[in-house]
Amino acid sequence: MEQIIQQKVAELASHVERQLDSEIEKLDNLNIDDIEKLREKRLQEMKKMQQQKQIWLSLGHGEYTELSEEKEFFDTCKKSDKVVCHFYKDGTERCKIVDMHLKVLCKKHIETHFIKLNVEKCPFLTGRLKIKIIPTIALVVDSKTKDYIVGFTDLGNCDDFSTEMLEWRIAHSGAINYNGDLLNPPDVTKMQKKPVSKKTIRGADSDDSDSDY
């Protein structure tokens, strides 16, 4: 068995080496025109990204925005491909913790619109989305609610989770662009101490500190 494994590893290494040699050969064979084309392509990509960034900023991305009424929620989801919406209630300590983290993440992930909505001002929407626990974070992609983060169950059932932990959990829905490891949570030590339930939508397990709405 060990010999077979070593053989497979050697084959893989050889394959990777051949790919690298091929790429190096292509680079070596580039002429001035080819280099100029690559440079122009890169400049166009950068220009396009800058234009997209300006569009996002004009829509309110980069800021953690509070909506005044539920109609704005639907308008926001129509205009932005990715939306993270925190449903909160005044006086709820855990909602304040969520606010703290989302204020950081909205600056980091310009591609996503981070918003918040007071559940007492949107009875129709909370009923439609069956929101019963506060805080609840709705993760919307292409105008469709892909997932919910209900309370802090998926964040280690603790109040001192890191911003990176919430970022990691949001990333599972595709609501942000994420380059990290989705298989391993950042707060791995805390997660090992407190098993995390995979229930995130209606009827999810919740810590006693979460508030019923």
Side-chain angles (χ1 to χ4, degrees):
M1 178 61 73
E2 184 177 350
Q3 185 177 359
I4 294 175
I5 294 175
Q6 290 178 346
Q7 182 181 351
K8 292 295 182 182
V9 171
E11 290 175 356
L12 178 60
S14 178
H15 177 67
V16 172
E17 186 176 354
R18 287 196 299 271
Q19 286 186 318
L20 287 174
D21 288 341
S22 177
E23 293 299 322
I24 291 173
E25 184 178 355
K26 289 179 182 178
L27 291 173
D28 288 340
N29 292 330
L30 288 177
N31 56 38
I32 295 177
D33 290 338
D34 293 328
I35 294 174
E36 186 60 31
K37 287 178 181 178
L38 288 174
R39 178 177 174 276
E40 182 62 27
K41 181 181 179 182
R42 178 57 179 160
L43 286 174
Q44 289 300 321
E45 289 174 348
M46 293 173 64
K47 184 178 179 180
K48 185 177 180 181
M49 178 55 67
Q50 185 61 31
Q51 291 174 339
Q52 181 61 69
K53 183 177 179 181
Q54 291 304 315
I55 292 173
W56 284 332
L57 292 175
S58 70
L59 293 173
H61 294 219
E63 299 293 335
Y64 183 38
T65 310
E66 178 161 9
L67 307 183
S68 59
E69 57 181 5
E70 52 194 0
K71 180 181 179 297
E72 291 184 73
F73 173 82
F74 298 104
D75 292 339
T76 299
C77 292
K78 287 179 182 178
K79 294 176 182 178
S80 299
D81 294 334
K82 299 179 180 182
V83 177
V84 172
C85 183
H86 171 208
F87 288 90
Y88 80 99
K89 187 176 181 180
D90 286 331
T92 305
E93 289 303 315
R94 283 196 156 186
C95 290
K96 296 177 183 179
I97 294 174
V98 172
D99 284 341
M100 176 185 68
H101 292 298
L102 294 186
K103 285 177 182 178
V104 175
L105 291 176
C106 74
K107 303 291 184 183
K108 182 177 181 180
H109 292 281
I110 304 295
E111 73 280 2
T112 302
H113 198 171
F114 288 78
I115 58 178
K116 62 187 295 188
L117 193 55
N118 191 326
V119 292
E120 296 179 327
K121 295 181 179 180
C122 56
F124 168 77
L125 185 58
T126 53
R128 178 173 174 176
L129 298 180
K130 294 182 171 59
I131 294 175
K132 298 179 180 180
I133 300 295
I134 298 301
T136 287
I137 302 174
L139 307 172
V140 184
V141 180
D142 295 330
S143 298
K144 296 180 180 178
T145 306
K146 294 290 186 179
D147 199 0
Y148 299 89
I149 303 175
V150 182
F152 288 178
T153 303
D154 283 2
L155 303 171
N157 267 338
C158 62
D159 290 357
D160 61 343
F161 61 88
S162 66
T163 301
E164 290 74 23
M165 184 65 189
L166 180 56
E167 178 184 31
W168 174 83
R169 177 59 186 84
I170 292 173
H172 279 78
S173 66
I176 58 173
N177 296 339
Y178 187 71
N179 296 321
D181 182 1
L182 287 174
L183 296 178
N184 296 298
D187 296 358
V188 63
T189 303
K190 295 176 184 176
M191 297 292 282
Q192 289 173 344
K193 291 180 180 179
K194 298 183 178 181
V196 176
S197 168
K198 293 185 178 180
K199 296 180 181 178
T200 56
I201 309 182
R202 309 155 181 58
D205 296 335
S206 64
D207 184 86
D208 289 340
S209 297
D210 296 326
S211 301
D212 292 331
Y213 170 63

